[in-house]
Amino acid sequence: MLNVETLHPSQLAPADTALWRGMAAAEPAFANPLLGPDFAQAVGRVRDDARVAVIRRGGEILGFLPHHRRPGRLARAIGSPLSDYHGIVSRPDPGFMAEDVLRAADLGVFRYTGLVDPFGVFGGVGEPQAAFVIAPEGGADDYLETVRAASPKKIKNYRRLDHKLEREMGQVRLVAPDTSRASFDLLIAWKREQLQRTGLHDFLRPDWTSGLLTDLFGRQSGDFQGLMIGLYAGDELVAGHFGVRLGGVYHPWIASTNPAYGAWSPGQLFFLRAIAAMPELGLTQYDLGPGHDHYKRAYALAQSSVLDGAVTARGMAGLMASSVEGAWTLAGGRGTGVVARVRRRVDAIASVELTVGGRMRGLVDAVAGQSRRRVGAHEGG
């Protein structure tokens, strides 16, 4: 019989975290730092609703499902929307399905946007999404040459801009790791300005997200740590990334550029130098996560597939959740249409905003942002 014990991440025993790390290390699909116990415990330090379902049969631990337990027996991926990868971490052929885990954990539905499921416990439910990884197996120089060969004119122009930036603004240098708190604060401020300008939800506004990133920035030693990489012209920060690394795998969340340096395409210059620096940093993977941003396709020559969808529990709780999911699907809540975009926006707000007031403000901002985009499109036309 399947037994699930639900704990706050801080309640995990050292033996549990060691077993979890071992399961993740044994499967390449689980190599991302977001899928291990260290990330779950970091989220647990800033959110009381963080949970880990410890899955057992006959006293043996079979796997771990980190999540947030939300009202209505809804489970979201732990750290959502920062959890670009999530799922049940287990050994191969664990002998259970996700529906059984949810029922045993008294959950009705688990909603996911970047599901990693190498052992098929979620049954392939959801829309496939591409995830992009920079993994220079033959060396950084060879990798960059492959990138250049695919877009020779663009890369030639970026290198020209790199030289131009150095001539006009001072020595261009990559700082990694960048431990400057002032630069970290700048990077976050630029990202928030970008979110406001583009009408996207400001996921950095709530206390828990800002607290999580600040906490991780302060963790600059050990196998699991925060990592900021900054590109400078002279003494001025012009672009940077911030995220988490686990050993040789780096997953950035924040990619920001100095608005005053837009003419030099600093985000592109950053990538060329960051890829070249990977061996020195001990990085084997620069995991850019899911999404269709054009820059990801240009630099990430390796791809994997994750799932966007939801799985429901067996039994009455699952039937009730299925009716809600089914209503969204019938209304067009999957795919790329208007209803699907609305649902993704509502989900994004609900996952990051923990109060009614925060959600209302998020919805108001969403309407205002949509209006700004329509005005911008009209003026551009």
Side-chain angles (χ1 to χ4, degrees), residues 49 63 139 151 163 165 177 184 211 241 250 258 265 269 276 300 305 349 363:
D49 67 342
S151 304
H163 296 318
L165 178 61
F184 171 77
H241 281 186
Y250 179 45
N258 189 330
S265 298
L269 309 187
S305 182
I349 294 170
L363 292 171

Side-chain angles (χ1 to χ4, degrees), residues 12-338:
L12 289 168
D16 296 337
T17 58
L19 179 59
W20 186 346
R21 289 191 190 101
M23 288 179 177
E27 169 52 50
F30 293 144
N32 191 277
L34 304 182
L35 290 163
D38 299 284
F39 178 65
Q41 290 174 329
V43 176
R45 287 192 289 272
V46 294
R47 283 189 63 167
D48 292 336
D49 67 342
R51 297 290 184 270
V52 177
V54 183
I55 308 161
R56 293 185 174 90
R57 180 181 288 119
E60 178 188 5
I61 295 180
L62 305 178
F64 301 87
L65 172 62
H67 62 281
H68 291 293
R69 186 182 181 97
R70 305 303 296 150
R73 292 181 178 175
L74 169 66
R76 292 190 182 276
I78 197 161
S80 178
L82 294 171
S83 52
D84 295 305
Y85 296 106
H86 37 265
I88 293 177
V89 176
S90 71
R91 294 192 180 96
D93 303 316
F96 60 75
M97 295 299 289
E99 298 97 319
D100 303 313
V101 173
L102 295 183
R103 181 179 182 180
D106 192 31
L107 293 168
V109 60
F110 177 57
R111 200 167 288 159
Y112 43 84
T113 56
L115 182 72
V116 177
D117 187 25
F119 307 136
V121 299
F122 286 82
V125 176
E127 296 287 331
Q129 309 287 332
F132 301 88
V133 180
I134 298 170
E137 295 179 2
D141 291 341
D142 291 343
Y143 189 92
L144 284 169
E145 179 57 28
T146 303
V147 171
R148 186 206 64 79
S151 304
K153 291 184 178 179
K154 286 184 178 180
I155 300 302
K156 182 179 180 180
N157 184 52
Y158 296 150
R159 287 176 172 165
R160 178 187 65 81
L161 289 171
D162 193 304
H163 296 318
K164 183 174 184 287
L165 178 61
E166 187 156 78
R167 285 196 312 270
E168 297 177 356
M169 305 305 295
Q171 180 187 6
V172 177
R173 57 196 173 89
L174 193 78
V175 177
D178 189 341
T179 60
S180 167
R181 178 57 192 265
S183 293
F184 171 77
D185 290 342
L186 265 179
L187 206 65
I188 298 297
W190 292 339
K191 188 64 178 181
R192 295 194 65 185
E193 290 169 4
Q194 178 196 6
L195 293 169
Q196 183 176 16
R197 186 172 64 252
T198 56
L200 298 176
H201 185 64
D202 184 0
F203 65 90
L204 296 168
R205 181 169 59 202
D207 290 342
W208 78 265
T209 51
S210 60
L212 174 63
L213 267 60
T214 301
D215 173 59
L216 292 172
F217 176 75
R219 293 176 176 271
Q220 298 177 357
S221 63
D223 204 36
F224 176 84
Q225 58 181 275
L227 175 61
M228 177 174 167
I229 302 175
L231 181 70
Y232 291 77
D235 294 327
E236 187 114 16
L237 181 69
V238 297
H241 281 186
F242 175 74
V244 285
R245 70 176 292 177
L246 179 65
V249 181
Y250 179 45
H251 183 85
W253 286 307
I254 308 298
S256 299
T257 59
N258 189 330
Y261 284 76
W264 288 276
S265 298
Q268 308 297 334
L269 309 187
F270 174 91
F271 262 113
L272 295 175
R273 288 179 176 257
I275 293 171
M278 285 179 65
E280 184 179 349
L281 286 169
L283 297 179
T284 56
Q285 293 184 31
Y286 204 117
D287 195 325
L288 302 178
H292 299 288
D293 303 79
H294 67 281
Y295 75 87
K296 293 183 180 182
R297 294 184 179 276
Y299 295 104
L301 305 182
Q303 295 184 23
S304 62
S305 182
V306 297
L307 292 174
D308 181 344
V311 67
T312 55
R314 298 189 194 280
M316 185 57 65
L319 286 174
M320 294 175 64
S322 294
S323 64
V324 175
E325 292 295 319
W328 271 112
T329 301
L330 288 173
R334 297 289 176 197
T336 59
V338 174

